[in-house]
Amino acid sequence: DAVGPEDTMRAILEVEPAPLKLGDLDRVLAKALSKSPADRYQTTVALGHDISRYLAHEPVAARPGSAGYRLARFLRRNRVAVLAGALAVGGLLAATAFSISQMREAERQRDVAVNESRRADAQVEFQHVLLSEIGEKPMTMLEILNAGRRVLETQYAGDDRLMIQLLVQLAMAYDDLHDDQNGWPLIYRAESLAVRLQSMGDLAQVRCEIANKLRLQGKYGEAWTMLESTDSLVEREGTPGQIVDCLGIRAFLASETGKSEESFSAARRAIAIKDSLHETSDANYMNLSDDFATGLSGIGRKREAIEVWQHLIAAMDRSGRGGVLSRAVMRHNMALVLTKMGKTAEAESIFHEAMEVASRTEAEGEINNQPAIHYAETALTQGHTDSAFRYFKMIAEHAVRDSSMYWEGRGLYGLARAEIALGLVREARQAKLRLEQIIARYPHVQDTDDVVPEGETLDGLLALRVGDYTGATASFKAALAGYGFPAKGADRLGVVVMLASRSALLSGKPDESLELARQALSIASVDSLTDRESTRVGEARLLEAKALLAEGDTAAARRSVALARESLRAGAGANHPLTREAEELSKQLP
Protein backbone atom coordinates (compact mmCIF):
# COMPACT_ATOMS: atom_id res chain seq x y z
CA ASP A 1 0.00 0.00 0.00
CA ALA A 2 1.08 3.63 -0.69
CA VAL A 3 2.34 5.55 2.35
CA GLY A 4 0.85 9.00 2.64
CA PRO A 5 2.35 12.07 4.30
CA GLU A 6 0.21 11.47 7.36
CA ASP A 7 1.71 7.99 7.86
CA THR A 8 5.23 9.30 7.52
CA MET A 9 4.53 12.04 10.08
CA ARG A 10 2.96 9.58 12.49
CA ALA A 11 5.98 7.22 12.19
CA ILE A 12 8.37 10.09 12.94
CA LEU A 13 6.40 11.29 15.95
CA GLU A 14 5.09 8.06 17.49
CA VAL A 15 6.91 4.85 16.29
CA GLU A 16 10.14 3.83 18.08
CA PRO A 17 12.91 2.78 15.65
CA ALA A 18 13.70 -1.00 15.49
CA PRO A 19 16.94 -1.99 17.31
CA LEU A 20 19.97 -2.97 15.16
CA LYS A 21 21.22 -5.51 17.72
CA LEU A 22 24.47 -3.63 18.11
CA GLY A 23 24.55 -3.57 21.92
CA ASP A 24 25.37 -0.17 23.41
CA LEU A 25 25.16 1.49 19.96
CA ASP A 26 21.42 0.69 19.96
CA ARG A 27 21.18 2.53 23.29
CA VAL A 28 23.01 5.60 21.87
CA LEU A 29 20.81 5.73 18.74
CA ALA A 30 17.62 5.22 20.79
CA LYS A 31 18.57 8.11 23.07
CA ALA A 32 19.43 10.36 20.11
CA LEU A 33 16.10 9.57 18.40
CA SER A 34 13.93 9.62 21.53
CA LYS A 35 10.35 10.99 20.98
CA SER A 36 10.69 13.05 24.13
CA PRO A 37 13.03 16.02 23.78
CA ALA A 38 13.95 15.75 27.46
CA ASP A 39 15.29 12.19 26.94
CA ARG A 40 17.54 13.11 23.99
CA TYR A 41 21.17 14.25 24.14
CA GLN A 42 20.98 17.91 25.03
CA THR A 43 24.01 18.85 22.92
CA THR A 44 25.97 17.43 20.02
CA VAL A 45 29.01 17.35 22.33
CA ALA A 46 27.19 14.92 24.68
CA LEU A 47 26.29 12.71 21.70
CA GLY A 48 29.90 12.79 20.51
CA HIS A 49 31.22 11.83 23.98
CA ASP A 50 28.91 8.79 24.14
CA ILE A 51 29.94 7.64 20.66
CA SER A 52 33.61 8.01 21.72
CA ARG A 53 32.95 5.98 24.86
CA TYR A 54 31.26 3.27 22.79
CA LEU A 55 34.24 3.06 20.43
CA ALA A 56 36.63 2.87 23.45
CA HIS A 57 34.56 0.05 25.09
CA GLU A 58 33.70 2.32 28.00
CA PRO A 59 30.28 2.58 29.70
CA VAL A 60 27.91 4.87 27.71
CA ALA A 61 25.58 7.42 29.30
CA ALA A 62 22.67 6.03 27.30
CA ARG A 63 22.66 2.84 29.44
CA PRO A 64 21.99 2.62 33.21
CA GLY A 65 25.33 2.16 35.02
CA SER A 66 24.98 -1.08 37.02
CA ALA A 67 28.09 -2.61 38.68
CA GLY A 68 27.93 -5.66 36.43
CA TYR A 69 27.71 -3.49 33.32
CA ARG A 70 30.69 -1.35 34.36
CA LEU A 71 32.76 -4.47 35.18
CA ALA A 72 31.96 -6.01 31.79
CA ARG A 73 33.07 -2.82 30.01
CA PHE A 74 36.26 -2.74 32.09
CA LEU A 75 37.10 -6.36 31.25
CA ARG A 76 36.44 -5.67 27.54
CA ARG A 77 38.79 -2.69 27.54
CA ASN A 78 41.58 -4.46 29.50
CA ARG A 79 41.45 -8.03 28.28
CA VAL A 80 45.22 -8.65 28.22
CA ALA A 81 45.92 -7.05 31.57
CA VAL A 82 42.99 -8.79 33.23
CA LEU A 83 44.06 -12.18 31.82
CA ALA A 84 47.60 -11.69 33.04
CA GLY A 85 46.33 -10.63 36.44
CA ALA A 86 43.99 -13.62 36.64
CA LEU A 87 46.84 -15.97 35.85
CA ALA A 88 48.97 -14.34 38.49
CA VAL A 89 46.19 -14.54 41.08
CA GLY A 90 45.50 -18.17 40.13
CA GLY A 91 49.15 -19.04 40.53
CA LEU A 92 49.22 -17.27 43.87
CA LEU A 93 46.15 -19.15 45.05
CA ALA A 94 47.58 -22.48 43.89
CA ALA A 95 50.88 -21.75 45.60
CA THR A 96 49.03 -20.75 48.75
CA ALA A 97 46.96 -23.96 48.69
CA PHE A 98 50.12 -26.04 48.14
CA SER A 99 51.87 -24.22 50.96
CA ILE A 100 48.95 -24.84 53.30
CA SER A 101 48.92 -28.52 52.29
CA GLN A 102 52.66 -28.79 52.87
CA MET A 103 52.33 -26.98 56.17
CA ARG A 104 49.64 -29.40 57.32
CA GLU A 105 51.73 -32.41 56.20
CA ALA A 106 54.75 -30.94 58.00
CA GLU A 107 52.61 -30.47 61.11
CA ARG A 108 51.40 -34.08 60.83
CA GLN A 109 54.95 -35.37 60.45
CA ARG A 110 56.05 -33.16 63.32
CA ASP A 111 53.29 -34.60 65.51
CA VAL A 112 54.30 -38.14 64.51
CA ALA A 113 57.95 -37.37 65.27
CA VAL A 114 57.06 -35.75 68.60
CA ASN A 115 54.90 -38.74 69.58
CA GLU A 116 57.62 -41.19 68.54
CA SER A 117 60.19 -39.18 70.49
CA ARG A 118 57.95 -39.05 73.55
CA ARG A 119 57.32 -42.78 73.19
CA ALA A 120 61.06 -43.52 73.02
CA ASP A 121 61.79 -41.20 75.95
CA ALA A 122 59.02 -42.84 77.96
CA GLN A 123 60.41 -46.29 77.23
CA VAL A 124 63.88 -45.27 78.39
CA GLU A 125 62.45 -43.62 81.49
CA PHE A 126 60.23 -46.65 82.14
CA GLN A 127 63.22 -48.97 81.96
CA HIS A 128 65.21 -46.68 84.26
CA VAL A 129 62.43 -46.57 86.85
CA LEU A 130 61.96 -50.32 86.57
CA LEU A 131 65.66 -50.98 87.11
CA SER A 132 65.59 -48.65 90.11
CA GLU A 133 62.72 -50.61 91.64
CA ILE A 134 64.26 -54.00 90.93
CA GLY A 135 67.65 -53.05 92.29
CA GLU A 136 70.21 -55.83 92.42
CA LYS A 137 68.03 -58.61 93.77
CA PRO A 138 67.70 -61.71 91.53
CA MET A 139 64.27 -61.98 89.89
CA THR A 140 62.57 -64.21 87.35
CA MET A 141 61.29 -62.70 84.11
CA LEU A 142 57.71 -62.95 85.38
CA GLU A 143 58.63 -61.03 88.54
CA ILE A 144 60.30 -58.34 86.45
CA LEU A 145 57.19 -57.95 84.28
CA ASN A 146 54.96 -57.74 87.34
CA ALA A 147 57.24 -55.03 88.75
CA GLY A 148 57.01 -53.22 85.41
CA ARG A 149 53.25 -53.34 85.59
CA ARG A 150 53.32 -51.67 89.03
CA VAL A 151 55.67 -48.95 87.76
CA LEU A 152 53.35 -48.35 84.81
CA GLU A 153 50.34 -47.86 87.04
CA THR A 154 52.10 -45.40 89.38
CA GLN A 155 54.29 -43.39 86.98
CA TYR A 156 52.22 -43.09 83.79
CA ALA A 157 48.59 -43.25 84.90
CA GLY A 158 48.00 -39.65 83.73
CA ASP A 159 49.40 -40.01 80.21
CA ASP A 160 46.95 -42.23 78.36
CA ARG A 161 48.70 -41.97 74.98
CA LEU A 162 51.98 -43.28 76.33
CA MET A 163 50.11 -45.76 78.50
CA ILE A 164 48.71 -47.40 75.34
CA GLN A 165 52.19 -48.08 73.96
CA LEU A 166 53.60 -49.37 77.23
CA LEU A 167 50.56 -51.59 77.83
CA VAL A 168 51.05 -53.17 74.40
CA GLN A 169 54.73 -53.82 75.08
CA LEU A 170 54.02 -55.40 78.45
CA ALA A 171 51.29 -57.57 76.92
CA MET A 172 53.75 -58.76 74.25
CA ALA A 173 56.32 -59.57 76.94
CA TYR A 174 53.72 -61.64 78.84
CA ASP A 175 53.00 -63.41 75.52
CA ASP A 176 56.63 -64.53 75.42
CA LEU A 177 55.98 -66.26 78.75
CA HIS A 178 52.67 -67.72 77.48
CA ASP A 179 50.96 -65.82 80.31
CA ASP A 180 47.52 -65.02 78.86
CA GLN A 181 46.07 -64.35 82.28
CA ASN A 182 48.15 -61.16 82.51
CA GLY A 183 48.55 -60.44 78.80
CA TRP A 184 44.94 -60.24 77.61
CA PRO A 185 43.70 -57.68 80.19
CA LEU A 186 46.59 -55.36 79.26
CA ILE A 187 45.91 -55.50 75.53
CA TYR A 188 42.17 -54.97 76.01
CA ARG A 189 42.86 -52.00 78.27
CA ALA A 190 45.12 -50.50 75.58
CA GLU A 191 42.33 -50.96 73.03
CA SER A 192 39.81 -49.25 75.32
CA LEU A 193 42.12 -46.27 75.84
CA ALA A 194 42.73 -45.90 72.08
CA VAL A 195 38.97 -45.93 71.40
CA ARG A 196 38.29 -43.35 74.12
CA LEU A 197 41.05 -41.05 72.86
CA GLN A 198 40.01 -41.58 69.22
CA SER A 199 43.67 -42.38 68.55
CA MET A 200 43.13 -44.36 65.37
CA GLY A 201 46.77 -45.17 64.64
CA ASP A 202 47.23 -46.61 68.12
CA LEU A 203 43.95 -48.51 67.79
CA ALA A 204 45.16 -50.08 64.54
CA GLN A 205 48.39 -51.19 66.19
CA VAL A 206 46.58 -52.61 69.22
CA ARG A 207 44.24 -54.65 67.04
CA CYS A 208 47.15 -56.01 65.03
CA GLU A 209 48.66 -57.16 68.33
CA ILE A 210 45.35 -58.79 69.25
CA ALA A 211 45.56 -60.71 65.95
CA ASN A 212 49.08 -61.75 66.90
CA LYS A 213 47.93 -63.04 70.29
CA LEU A 214 45.20 -65.06 68.57
CA ARG A 215 47.85 -66.46 66.21
CA LEU A 216 50.00 -67.55 69.14
CA GLN A 217 47.01 -69.46 70.54
CA GLY A 218 46.48 -71.25 67.24
CA LYS A 219 43.21 -69.34 66.57
CA TYR A 220 44.13 -68.65 62.98
CA GLY A 221 40.64 -67.94 61.66
CA GLU A 222 39.96 -65.33 64.34
CA ALA A 223 43.42 -63.84 63.79
CA TRP A 224 42.77 -63.40 60.06
CA THR A 225 39.37 -61.85 60.74
CA MET A 226 40.93 -59.30 63.09
CA LEU A 227 43.70 -58.42 60.64
CA GLU A 228 41.37 -58.08 57.66
CA SER A 229 39.01 -55.79 59.60
CA THR A 230 41.97 -53.60 60.65
CA ASP A 231 43.69 -53.29 57.26
CA SER A 232 42.04 -50.06 56.07
CA LEU A 233 42.51 -48.42 59.47
CA VAL A 234 46.22 -49.26 59.48
CA GLU A 235 46.75 -47.88 55.97
CA ARG A 236 44.74 -44.73 56.65
CA GLU A 237 45.83 -43.82 60.17
CA GLY A 238 48.98 -45.77 60.99
CA THR A 239 52.48 -44.36 61.14
CA PRO A 240 55.12 -46.08 58.99
CA GLY A 241 56.32 -47.91 62.10
CA GLN A 242 52.81 -49.15 62.92
CA ILE A 243 52.27 -50.26 59.31
CA VAL A 244 55.55 -52.19 59.45
CA ASP A 245 54.53 -53.89 62.72
CA CYS A 246 51.20 -55.01 61.27
CA LEU A 247 52.83 -56.24 58.05
CA GLY A 248 55.24 -58.31 60.14
CA ILE A 249 52.34 -59.95 61.99
CA ARG A 250 50.60 -60.62 58.67
CA ALA A 251 53.76 -62.22 57.25
CA PHE A 252 54.07 -64.54 60.25
CA LEU A 253 50.37 -65.50 60.23
CA ALA A 254 50.40 -66.13 56.48
CA SER A 255 53.49 -68.31 56.82
CA GLU A 256 51.89 -70.43 59.54
CA THR A 257 48.65 -70.88 57.61
CA GLY A 258 50.23 -71.92 54.31
CA LYS A 259 49.77 -68.58 52.52
CA SER A 260 53.38 -68.36 51.43
CA GLU A 261 52.90 -65.80 48.65
CA GLU A 262 51.12 -63.44 51.03
CA SER A 263 53.79 -63.91 53.68
CA PHE A 264 56.53 -63.15 51.16
CA SER A 265 54.69 -60.07 49.86
CA ALA A 266 53.97 -58.63 53.33
CA ALA A 267 57.55 -59.08 54.52
CA ARG A 268 58.97 -57.59 51.34
CA ARG A 269 56.75 -54.48 51.61
CA ALA A 270 57.65 -54.01 55.29
CA ILE A 271 61.35 -54.23 54.45
CA ALA A 272 60.89 -51.64 51.65
CA ILE A 273 59.30 -49.22 54.16
CA LYS A 274 62.18 -49.74 56.59
CA ASP A 275 64.66 -49.18 53.75
CA SER A 276 62.95 -45.90 52.84
CA LEU A 277 63.29 -44.78 56.46
CA HIS A 278 66.98 -45.84 56.51
CA GLU A 279 66.23 -48.17 59.41
CA THR A 280 68.24 -51.18 58.30
CA SER A 281 70.16 -52.16 61.40
CA ASP A 282 67.56 -52.41 64.16
CA ALA A 283 66.07 -55.59 65.58
CA ASN A 284 62.77 -55.08 63.76
CA TYR A 285 64.55 -55.02 60.39
CA MET A 286 66.27 -58.28 61.26
CA ASN A 287 62.95 -59.84 62.27
CA LEU A 288 61.32 -58.73 59.02
CA SER A 289 64.20 -60.20 57.06
CA ASP A 290 63.58 -63.42 58.98
CA ASP A 291 59.92 -63.31 57.85
CA PHE A 292 61.12 -62.62 54.29
CA ALA A 293 63.30 -65.73 54.37
CA THR A 294 60.35 -67.76 55.69
CA GLY A 295 58.25 -66.45 52.79
CA LEU A 296 60.95 -67.42 50.30
CA SER A 297 60.90 -70.93 51.70
CA GLY A 298 57.13 -71.09 51.44
CA ILE A 299 57.14 -70.31 47.72
CA GLY A 300 59.67 -73.06 47.06
CA ARG A 301 62.87 -70.99 47.15
CA LYS A 302 64.34 -72.87 50.10
CA ARG A 303 67.99 -72.52 49.17
CA GLU A 304 67.64 -68.74 48.83
CA ALA A 305 65.91 -68.67 52.22
CA ILE A 306 68.82 -70.55 53.83
CA GLU A 307 71.25 -68.03 52.29
CA VAL A 308 69.25 -65.09 53.71
CA TRP A 309 69.31 -66.63 57.20
CA GLN A 310 73.01 -67.37 57.01
CA HIS A 311 73.69 -63.76 55.99
CA LEU A 312 71.51 -62.39 58.81
CA ILE A 313 73.06 -64.63 61.46
CA ALA A 314 76.57 -63.72 60.32
CA ALA A 315 75.66 -60.00 60.47
CA MET A 316 74.34 -60.40 64.02
CA ASP A 317 77.49 -62.23 65.08
CA ARG A 318 79.67 -59.47 63.63
CA SER A 319 77.68 -56.79 65.46
CA GLY A 320 78.05 -58.49 68.83
CA ARG A 321 74.46 -59.80 68.98
CA GLY A 322 75.34 -63.47 68.71
CA GLY A 323 73.71 -64.35 72.04
CA VAL A 324 70.36 -62.57 71.65
CA LEU A 325 67.05 -64.39 71.42
CA SER A 326 66.24 -63.13 67.91
CA ARG A 327 69.32 -64.93 66.57
CA ALA A 328 68.08 -68.17 68.13
CA VAL A 329 64.67 -67.58 66.53
CA MET A 330 66.29 -67.17 63.11
CA ARG A 331 68.31 -70.34 63.62
CA HIS A 332 65.10 -72.10 64.67
CA ASN A 333 63.28 -70.95 61.53
CA MET A 334 66.20 -71.99 59.36
CA ALA A 335 66.11 -75.42 61.02
CA LEU A 336 62.43 -75.75 60.09
CA VAL A 337 63.38 -75.36 56.43
CA LEU A 338 66.30 -77.77 56.86
CA THR A 339 63.75 -80.28 58.19
CA LYS A 340 61.61 -79.85 55.08
CA MET A 341 64.76 -80.39 53.02
CA GLY A 342 65.36 -83.63 54.95
CA LYS A 343 68.49 -82.51 56.82
CA THR A 344 67.16 -83.80 60.13
CA ALA A 345 70.48 -84.36 61.94
CA GLU A 346 71.56 -80.75 61.41
CA ALA A 347 68.06 -79.47 62.24
CA GLU A 348 67.93 -81.44 65.51
CA SER A 349 71.15 -79.81 66.71
CA ILE A 350 69.90 -76.29 65.85
CA PHE A 351 66.51 -76.86 67.49
CA HIS A 352 68.22 -77.99 70.68
CA GLU A 353 70.43 -74.89 70.68
CA ALA A 354 67.43 -72.60 70.04
CA MET A 355 65.48 -74.28 72.83
CA GLU A 356 68.30 -73.70 75.31
CA VAL A 357 68.67 -70.02 74.36
CA ALA A 358 64.91 -69.46 74.55
CA SER A 359 64.72 -71.12 77.98
CA ARG A 360 67.02 -68.43 79.42
CA THR A 361 64.38 -65.76 78.75
CA GLU A 362 61.45 -67.74 80.12
CA ALA A 363 60.08 -67.94 83.65
CA GLU A 364 61.95 -70.40 85.84
CA GLY A 365 61.47 -73.98 84.69
CA GLU A 366 59.79 -72.99 81.40
CA ILE A 367 60.80 -73.78 77.81
CA ASN A 368 59.21 -72.10 74.81
CA ASN A 369 56.75 -74.46 73.10
CA GLN A 370 57.77 -73.65 69.52
CA PRO A 371 61.40 -74.79 69.64
CA ALA A 372 60.48 -77.56 72.10
CA ILE A 373 57.85 -79.16 69.82
CA HIS A 374 60.11 -78.98 66.77
CA TYR A 375 63.09 -80.36 68.68
CA ALA A 376 60.97 -83.23 70.02
CA GLU A 377 59.59 -84.06 66.53
CA THR A 378 63.09 -84.09 65.03
CA ALA A 379 64.51 -86.09 67.94
CA LEU A 380 61.80 -88.69 67.32
CA THR A 381 62.75 -88.81 63.64
CA GLN A 382 66.41 -89.19 64.57
CA GLY A 383 65.64 -92.12 66.87
CA HIS A 384 66.32 -90.22 70.11
CA THR A 385 63.06 -91.41 71.59
CA ASP A 386 63.86 -90.74 75.26
CA SER A 387 64.54 -87.05 74.57
CA ALA A 388 61.43 -86.76 72.41
CA PHE A 389 59.32 -88.41 75.14
CA ARG A 390 60.61 -85.96 77.77
CA TYR A 391 59.78 -82.80 75.83
CA PHE A 392 56.43 -83.97 74.42
CA LYS A 393 55.37 -84.79 77.98
CA MET A 394 56.56 -81.42 79.27
CA ILE A 395 54.59 -79.56 76.56
CA ALA A 396 51.40 -81.50 77.31
CA GLU A 397 51.68 -81.02 81.09
CA HIS A 398 52.36 -77.29 80.87
CA ALA A 399 49.46 -76.91 78.45
CA VAL A 400 47.09 -78.51 80.98
CA ARG A 401 48.28 -76.01 83.57
CA ASP A 402 47.78 -73.12 81.10
CA SER A 403 44.43 -74.44 79.81
CA SER A 404 45.75 -74.53 76.23
CA MET A 405 44.05 -77.32 74.31
CA TYR A 406 46.14 -76.53 71.22
CA TRP A 407 49.46 -77.23 72.88
CA GLU A 408 48.06 -80.08 74.95
CA GLY A 409 46.94 -81.77 71.73
CA ARG A 410 50.28 -81.18 70.01
CA GLY A 411 52.13 -82.56 73.00
CA LEU A 412 49.88 -85.62 73.36
CA TYR A 413 50.22 -86.59 69.70
CA GLY A 414 53.99 -86.64 69.99
CA LEU A 415 53.88 -88.26 73.41
CA ALA A 416 51.71 -91.13 72.20
CA ARG A 417 54.10 -91.86 69.30
CA ALA A 418 57.11 -91.79 71.64
CA GLU A 419 55.32 -94.08 74.11
CA ILE A 420 54.52 -96.58 71.33
CA ALA A 421 58.17 -96.56 70.28
CA LEU A 422 59.18 -97.20 73.90
CA GLY A 423 56.64 -100.02 74.31
CA LEU A 424 54.36 -98.07 76.67
CA VAL A 425 51.20 -99.21 74.89
CA ARG A 426 48.71 -98.61 77.73
CA GLU A 427 49.98 -95.06 78.27
CA ALA A 428 49.85 -94.41 74.53
CA ARG A 429 46.20 -95.47 74.38
CA GLN A 430 45.36 -93.05 77.19
CA ALA A 431 47.15 -90.21 75.39
CA LYS A 432 45.28 -91.06 72.18
CA LEU A 433 41.92 -91.01 73.96
CA ARG A 434 42.59 -87.57 75.45
CA LEU A 435 43.82 -86.29 72.04
CA GLU A 436 40.59 -87.38 70.36
CA GLN A 437 38.56 -85.58 73.05
CA ILE A 438 40.55 -82.40 72.38
CA ILE A 439 40.08 -82.69 68.60
CA ALA A 440 36.33 -83.04 69.08
CA ARG A 441 36.20 -79.90 71.24
CA TYR A 442 38.95 -77.87 69.55
CA PRO A 443 39.58 -78.84 65.89
CA HIS A 444 42.16 -76.03 65.53
CA VAL A 445 44.69 -78.36 67.12
CA GLN A 446 45.08 -79.84 63.63
CA ASP A 447 46.01 -76.45 62.11
CA THR A 448 49.73 -77.22 61.98
CA ASP A 449 52.48 -76.78 59.40
CA ASP A 450 54.37 -80.03 59.98
CA VAL A 451 52.36 -83.06 61.21
CA VAL A 452 48.63 -83.65 61.63
CA PRO A 453 47.59 -84.67 65.16
CA GLU A 454 44.91 -87.36 64.72
CA GLY A 455 43.94 -90.79 66.01
CA GLU A 456 44.04 -93.01 62.90
CA THR A 457 47.81 -92.78 62.60
CA LEU A 458 48.17 -93.70 66.28
CA ASP A 459 45.89 -96.69 65.69
CA GLY A 460 48.19 -97.77 62.87
CA LEU A 461 51.30 -97.43 65.04
CA LEU A 462 49.65 -99.43 67.82
CA ALA A 463 48.70 -102.14 65.32
CA LEU A 464 52.28 -102.24 63.99
CA ARG A 465 53.56 -102.61 67.53
CA VAL A 466 51.56 -105.81 68.07
CA GLY A 467 52.23 -107.22 64.59
CA ASP A 468 48.82 -106.50 63.04
CA TYR A 469 50.22 -105.32 59.71
CA THR A 470 46.98 -105.52 57.76
CA GLY A 471 45.15 -103.51 60.40
CA ALA A 472 48.01 -101.01 60.49
CA THR A 473 47.84 -100.50 56.71
CA ALA A 474 44.09 -99.95 56.90
CA SER A 475 44.50 -97.34 59.68
CA PHE A 476 47.23 -95.44 57.85
CA LYS A 477 45.24 -95.40 54.61
CA ALA A 478 42.16 -94.23 56.54
CA ALA A 479 44.21 -91.34 57.97
CA LEU A 480 45.33 -90.38 54.46
CA ALA A 481 41.81 -90.58 53.05
CA GLY A 482 40.49 -88.46 55.93
CA TYR A 483 42.61 -85.54 54.72
CA GLY A 484 41.89 -85.94 51.04
CA PHE A 485 45.26 -87.42 50.12
CA PRO A 486 46.68 -87.28 47.48
CA ALA A 487 44.63 -84.28 46.30
CA LYS A 488 45.65 -82.24 49.35
CA GLY A 489 47.66 -82.39 52.56
CA ALA A 490 50.62 -84.19 50.98
CA ASP A 491 53.26 -81.94 52.58
CA ARG A 492 52.02 -82.82 56.10
CA LEU A 493 51.23 -86.48 55.41
CA GLY A 494 54.50 -87.74 53.92
CA VAL A 495 55.42 -89.60 57.11
CA VAL A 496 52.04 -91.37 57.17
CA VAL A 497 52.49 -92.40 53.52
CA MET A 498 55.81 -94.03 54.42
CA LEU A 499 54.23 -95.80 57.39
CA ALA A 500 51.52 -97.14 55.08
CA SER A 501 54.22 -98.35 52.63
CA ARG A 502 56.13 -100.09 55.43
CA SER A 503 53.03 -101.83 56.82
CA ALA A 504 51.86 -102.87 53.32
CA LEU A 505 55.24 -104.50 52.72
CA LEU A 506 55.07 -106.32 56.07
CA SER A 507 51.55 -107.55 55.23
CA GLY A 508 52.83 -109.15 51.99
CA LYS A 509 51.70 -106.52 49.47
CA PRO A 510 54.92 -105.34 47.76
CA ASP A 511 53.10 -103.77 44.79
CA GLU A 512 51.02 -101.59 47.09
CA SER A 513 54.10 -100.82 49.17
CA LEU A 514 56.06 -99.77 46.06
CA GLU A 515 53.31 -97.43 44.90
CA LEU A 516 53.13 -95.77 48.35
CA ALA A 517 56.95 -95.55 48.59
CA ARG A 518 57.12 -93.69 45.30
CA GLN A 519 54.35 -91.33 46.43
CA ALA A 520 56.37 -90.66 49.59
CA LEU A 521 59.47 -90.06 47.46
CA SER A 522 57.60 -87.50 45.35
CA ILE A 523 56.49 -85.65 48.50
CA ALA A 524 59.97 -85.66 50.07
CA SER A 525 61.85 -84.60 46.94
CA VAL A 526 62.84 -80.91 46.88
CA ASP A 527 65.52 -80.80 44.19
CA SER A 528 68.22 -83.10 42.83
CA LEU A 529 70.93 -81.72 45.12
CA THR A 530 68.83 -81.85 48.27
CA ASP A 531 67.61 -85.36 47.48
CA ARG A 532 71.14 -86.66 48.05
CA GLU A 533 71.12 -85.19 51.59
CA SER A 534 67.54 -85.90 52.71
CA THR A 535 66.49 -88.30 55.45
CA ARG A 536 62.95 -88.42 54.02
CA VAL A 537 64.16 -89.19 50.51
CA GLY A 538 66.51 -91.83 51.89
CA GLU A 539 63.71 -93.53 53.84
CA ALA A 540 61.43 -93.54 50.79
CA ARG A 541 64.25 -94.98 48.63
CA LEU A 542 64.88 -97.68 51.22
CA LEU A 543 61.19 -98.70 51.18
CA GLU A 544 61.28 -98.65 47.37
CA ALA A 545 64.32 -100.95 47.38
CA LYS A 546 62.65 -103.42 49.76
CA ALA A 547 59.45 -103.50 47.70
CA LEU A 548 61.44 -104.03 44.47
CA LEU A 549 63.40 -106.81 46.11
CA ALA A 550 60.16 -108.46 47.26
CA GLU A 551 58.94 -108.32 43.64
CA GLY A 552 62.19 -109.96 42.45
CA ASP A 553 63.72 -106.91 40.73
CA THR A 554 67.16 -107.15 42.34
CA ALA A 555 68.94 -104.79 39.94
CA ALA A 556 66.47 -101.96 40.52
CA ALA A 557 66.53 -102.67 44.27
CA ARG A 558 70.33 -102.39 44.25
CA ARG A 559 70.16 -98.94 42.59
CA SER A 560 67.50 -97.73 45.04
CA VAL A 561 69.36 -98.90 48.13
CA ALA A 562 72.57 -97.23 46.96
CA LEU A 563 70.72 -93.90 46.64
CA ALA A 564 69.00 -94.50 50.00
CA ARG A 565 72.31 -95.10 51.76
CA GLU A 566 73.82 -91.89 50.35
CA SER A 567 70.81 -89.74 51.33
CA LEU A 568 70.50 -91.23 54.81
CA ARG A 569 74.18 -90.81 55.61
CA ALA A 570 74.04 -87.10 54.71
CA GLY A 571 70.59 -86.31 56.13
CA ALA A 572 70.24 -88.51 59.22
CA GLY A 573 73.83 -89.44 59.99
CA ALA A 574 75.84 -92.65 59.87
CA ASN A 575 74.45 -93.97 63.16
CA HIS A 576 70.76 -93.50 62.39
CA PRO A 577 68.75 -96.79 62.51
CA LEU A 578 67.57 -96.30 58.91
CA THR A 579 71.14 -95.70 57.73
CA ARG A 580 72.25 -98.94 59.36
CA GLU A 581 69.25 -100.72 57.83
CA ALA A 582 70.27 -99.46 54.38
CA GLU A 583 73.84 -100.58 54.97
CA GLU A 584 72.69 -104.10 55.89
CA LEU A 585 70.43 -104.37 52.84
CA SER A 586 73.26 -103.14 50.62
CA LYS A 587 75.45 -105.99 51.88
CA GLN A 588 72.73 -108.48 50.93
CA LEU A 589 72.69 -107.12 47.36
CA PRO A 590 76.28 -107.51 46.13
Side-chain angles (χ1 to χ4, degrees), residues 149-165:
R149 192 170 180 176
R150 290 193 297 272
V151 169
L152 185 63
E153 296 292 352
T154 55
Q155 297 290 325
Y156 299 96
D159 194 334
D160 288 343
R161 184 71 186 274
L162 291 177
M163 178 74 82
I164 293 170
Q165 299 297 330

Side-chain angles (χ1 to χ4, degrees), residues 122-123 125-134 143-158 163 166 170:
Q123 289 170 343
E125 183 182 354
F126 175 72
Q127 292 167 6
H128 175 73
V129 174
L130 179 57
L131 288 173
S132 299
E133 173 158 320
I134 292 173
E143 289 172 334
I144 291 173
L145 289 180
N146 290 338
R149 192 170 180 176
R150 290 193 297 272
V151 169
L152 185 63
E153 296 292 352
T154 55
Q155 297 290 325
Y156 299 96
M163 178 74 82
L166 296 174
L170 269 181

Side-chain angles (χ1 to χ4, degrees), residues 528-541:
S528 58
L529 180 59
T530 303
D531 289 353
R532 300 176 66 178
E533 305 170 338
S534 170
T535 302
R536 301 299 187 197
V537 169
E539 184 178 2
R541 286 287 189 195

Side-chain angles (χ1 to χ4, degrees), residues 81 84 121 147 150 182 323 346 375 380 392 395 407 418 435 481 521 562:
D121 291 344
R150 290 193 297 272
N182 281 305
E346 183 180 357
Y375 168 72
L380 192 61
F392 282 132
I395 291 168
W407 284 112
L435 172 64
L521 180 61

Side-chain angles (χ1 to χ4, degrees), residues 307-385:
E307 290 174 3
V308 171
W309 274 309
Q310 290 172 338
H311 173 76
L312 283 171
I313 291 164
M316 296 185 81
D317 290 344
R318 287 194 301 270
S319 64
R321 289 182 283 180
V324 299
L325 179 60
S326 57
R327 180 186 183 277
V329 171
M330 289 178 194
R331 291 267 290 166
H332 167 271
N333 292 341
M334 183 174 75
L336 282 175
V337 177
L338 289 171
T339 301
K340 294 181 185 297
M341 296 170 72
K343 298 184 177 184
T344 54
E346 183 180 357
E348 182 191 21
S349 174
I350 296 174
F351 282 138
H352 191 269
E353 168 203 310
M355 187 172 61
E356 288 188 334
V357 173
S359 68
R360 297 175 199 149
T361 68
E362 302 288 342
E364 187 174 354
E366 294 292 325
I367 293 180
N368 188 286
N369 284 332
Q370 285 286 358
I373 197 77
H374 292 129
Y375 168 72
E377 287 287 352
T378 314
L380 192 61
T381 299
Q382 284 297 106
H384 301 148
T385 311

Side-chain angles (χ1 to χ4, degrees), residues 8-9 49 103 236 293 298 350 427 454 492 515 529 547 555 560:
T8 301
M9 187 61 68
H49 284 168
M103 180 182 68
R236 188 175 67 251
I350 296 174
E427 291 85 346
E454 45 80 36
R492 298 190 298 160
E515 180 184 356
L529 180 59
S560 291

